[in-house]
Amino acid sequence: MKRVFSTAIAVVASLIPTTAKAAIINGGFENGFDGWQKIGDYRLETSAFGSETVEGNVQAFLSTAFKEVIGVDGNGKEIIGGNAAPATYITGVAENSLEGFLGVSQFFGDNFLADAIEGSAIKQTFTGKAGQTLSFAWNFLTNESVGTNANPDFNDFAFATVSNNSQNSFFKLADTTTNFLANGSKTSFFEETGFKTFSYTLPTDGEYTLGFGVVDVGEPTVISGLLVDKVQAVPETSSTVGLLFLGMGAVSVLKRRQKK
């Protein structure tokens, strides 16, 4: 009977579609940047950064810093750092630029990044199913003036891209005019939005590339950043849940039989 029970478990497991597992690899960044391609200034941060992680112990951090003052050491000396990648607006060529990395000939073609100076991004390609919800948690941070004091010429922002063979969709997550935390930021930045959730329903089966990043606009000296955590692709519930109930029923019957 134990052998039959084990076989039943294996059969039930085989009935559950593979889409029941998250299509995104290492969406919580607990294994560093495994599964992700990256460009610019990026690193992992814990809650010690000043913003609590959404899940697990770490979160991805991207910034617009390029050989700039990113802090002060214990002796009061400025710390210089950052390796943000240039935008094509500056270099005139797509190679090694943010546009080239994200696979777009122009940065979204709608003047969102017409004056982008530099920034950072990460991306991952995965196989998705129609009806899956792609989501991640994000937190935009900046040292620029925000709200009613925001300067439109220096409107740094964070963004996401979702692309497949037929289209490349762009989503602005936040900029300097977005609502920020009323009490400011506990990080080294002056302002942060706090974590919010981005979600997108995949329209068709196929291969998708998810990307997100942050850019300097207008001038390169004031830093902005983006925290990302809990990236996942949740499957359609109908077929998966139906098979799960079918499997649970089969296991329950076998358990009753085993007891008799």
Side-chain angles (χ1 to χ4, degrees):
M1 183 59 71
K2 287 183 178 180
R3 181 177 298 175
V4 173
F5 182 73
S6 298
T7 302
I9 292 294
V11 170
V12 169
S14 68
L15 288 173
I16 300 173
T18 54
T19 53
K21 298 179 180 179
I24 299 293
I25 298 172
N26 188 32
F29 303 97
E30 299 302 308
N31 294 318
F33 285 98
D34 288 355
W36 296 93
Q37 293 176 268
K38 45 208 181 294
I39 188 172
D41 189 57
Y42 53 85
R43 62 179 184 267
L44 299 176
E45 291 288 356
T46 66
S47 295
F49 181 71
S51 176
E52 294 289 333
T53 60
V54 176
E55 69 171 5
N57 299 314
V58 297
Q59 53 200 325
F61 174 71
L62 310 173
S63 93
T64 63
F66 180 76
K67 296 181 180 179
E68 297 166 47
V69 178
I70 59 174
V72 178
D73 64 20
N75 297 318
K77 184 178 180 180
E78 293 181 340
I79 301 172
I80 306 298
N83 190 35
T88 300
Y89 174 79
I90 295 299
T91 65
V93 296
E95 186 177 1
N96 298 323
S97 71
L98 287 169
E99 292 92 329
F101 176 77
L102 293 167
V104 291
S105 57
Q106 294 180 350
F107 230 140
F108 313 114
D110 50 13
N111 295 322
F112 274 117
L113 290 177
D115 296 328
I117 304 297
E118 60 201 5
S120 304
I122 61 177
K123 66 180 181 179
Q124 183 174 142
T125 300
F126 65 96
T127 300
K129 292 287 186 179
Q132 281 185 305
T133 299
L134 178 66
S135 67
F136 62 88
W138 60 269
N139 182 4
F140 175 61
L141 312 97
T142 187
N143 287 330
E144 295 281 5
S145 297
V146 300
T148 55
N149 294 320
N151 188 328
D153 294 328
F154 305 141
N155 191 19
D156 296 0
F157 65 88
F159 63 90
T161 60
V162 181
S163 59
N164 58 15
N165 291 331
S166 61
Q167 64 180 2
N168 188 349
S169 300
F170 168 77
F171 305 91
K172 181 183 282 188
L173 300 175
D175 60 21
T176 59
T177 65
T178 301
N179 291 330
F180 289 81
L181 295 180
N183 57 353
S185 175
K186 294 181 180 179
T187 72
S188 59
F189 288 84
F190 295 143
E191 306 285 350
E192 64 174 299
T193 60
F195 269 107
K196 302 179 184 297
T197 300
F198 167 90
S199 62
Y200 174 78
T201 301
L202 302 183
T204 60
D205 294 358
E207 190 172 81
Y208 289 84
T209 298
L210 166 66
F212 32 72
V214 61
V215 293
D216 260 332
V217 174
E219 59 81 40
T221 61
V222 181
I223 303 170
S224 294
L226 177 67
L227 288 168
V228 179
D229 203 356
K230 198 179 181 180
V231 187
Q232 59 185 351
V234 180
E236 246 185 319
T237 58
S238 56
S239 60
T240 301
V241 171
L243 284 171
L244 282 172
F245 276 121
L246 173 64
M248 290 168 63
V251 171
S252 178
V253 169
L254 282 172
K255 282 184 174 180
R256 288 198 298 270
R257 288 180 179 178
Q258 187 179 31
K259 287 180 180 180
K260 290 180 180 179

